[in-house]
Amino acid sequence: MKIREYLLPMGWYPRDSAEISRFLSDFTGATANTNAAIAPHAGWFYSGRTAALACSGLNRQAQTVVVIGGHLPGGSPPLFAMEDAVRTPQGILTIDTEMRSILVEKLGGREDQYQDNTVEVLLPMVRFFLPETTLLWVRLPADSSSFEAGKTIAQTAEKLNRKINVLASTDLTHYGRNYGFSPHGAGRAALKWVKEVNDFNFIRAVEDGNCEQVLVHAERDKASCSAGAVLGAMGFAKAAGLGPAQLLEYTTSADIALADSGETPDSFVGYAALAFGKG
């Protein structure tokens, strides 16, 4: 068995199983009532609780969880983890190789050989909340083909009689000097604009199911780093007959700094958890 090992350095998420269990224990009583969700993918210190809110609501009866990452520009081919399994601190997640083979052929996928946080950082949560599930690891590009890819995922699962969840991964606005994006200066006014305008517009486009506006806000307004993942989840939800996305939680890395020091940091990132309802 070929196993994909950790690629992210220490600090992104705990490497101790007991520490992960303590971190996620507050969410074990969550109602598992969705087959598709969107979660952030920063280090757990900043976005872990928001991501856990999305992950904990996934249907516990699913046989496979498709974790869709991003960080791919438009026009890129989908990237798949081509190993047999992925290692997490709690143990192995076996990959659904049957479903992967079909999707690689249908979508023209290639092997994901890169160090990237958009999928890996969520896998300890998947293993904790859904320990019996198999995994499909895929990253999708930031273009309209990803919406169609999400529909293909749903159709393939139906043909295989496979009950699946889809967990899409994106962070929102990366604002400030560290990211070369600060159209509204700095301080609390900038944070207010990110929260109430830039991230709000992107979230509203997802809730409205407006794929065109999702891409517009991601590309023009830099409101999402992984719009392809979001479009994949939207396409899956559409084909699977799920209801519209609903915001579960929104926060930013600046909120942690404000709670700690009372000062708005020069650079910060937005995070959201959303879940798609039943149709």
Side-chain angles (χ1 to χ4, degrees), residues 87-229:
R87 192 181 306 281
T88 79
Q90 299 100 325
I92 296 298
L93 274 169
T94 302
I95 287 180
D96 187 337
T97 55
E98 181 184 21
M99 189 171 180
R100 181 185 65 194
S101 295
I102 295 170
L103 289 172
V104 166
E105 182 176 355
K106 286 187 174 183
L107 302 179
R110 299 180 185 174
E111 182 175 5
D112 192 350
Q113 299 177 320
Y114 306 100
Q115 176 180 299
D116 183 83
N117 58 298
T118 60
V119 175
E120 183 182 329
V121 76
L122 296 175
L123 298 187
M125 295 187 185
V126 171
R127 183 63 173 76
F128 178 85
F129 291 117
L130 299 136
E132 303 302 321
T133 193
T134 57
L135 170 70
L136 188 64
W137 166 319
V138 58
R139 290 198 284 139
L140 295 178
D143 61 42
S144 59
S145 70
S146 293
F147 182 80
E148 297 304 317
K151 292 165 65 175
T152 300
I153 289 170
Q155 293 158 1
T156 302
E158 184 177 10
K159 288 181 180 178
L160 291 173
N161 196 28
R162 189 87 88 248
K163 296 177 181 178
I164 72 169
N165 291 324
V166 166
L167 178 63
S169 165
T170 191
D171 289 344
L172 303 184
T173 304
H174 289 58
Y175 190 95
R177 182 169 52 191
N178 289 353
Y179 308 110
F181 181 68
S182 50
H184 288 264
R188 291 181 182 263
L191 179 59
K192 179 179 174 67
W193 175 79
V194 168
K195 287 184 171 183
E196 298 181 7
V197 179
N198 217 46
D199 283 349
F200 173 82
N201 287 340
F202 181 83
I203 292 167
R204 183 171 59 185
V206 177
E207 292 176 324
D208 290 344
N210 191 327
C211 296
E212 181 179 351
Q213 286 302 303
V214 165
L215 281 173
V216 167
H217 292 307
E219 295 173 4
R220 183 193 67 193
D221 304 331
K222 303 184 186 302
S224 169
C225 66
S226 299

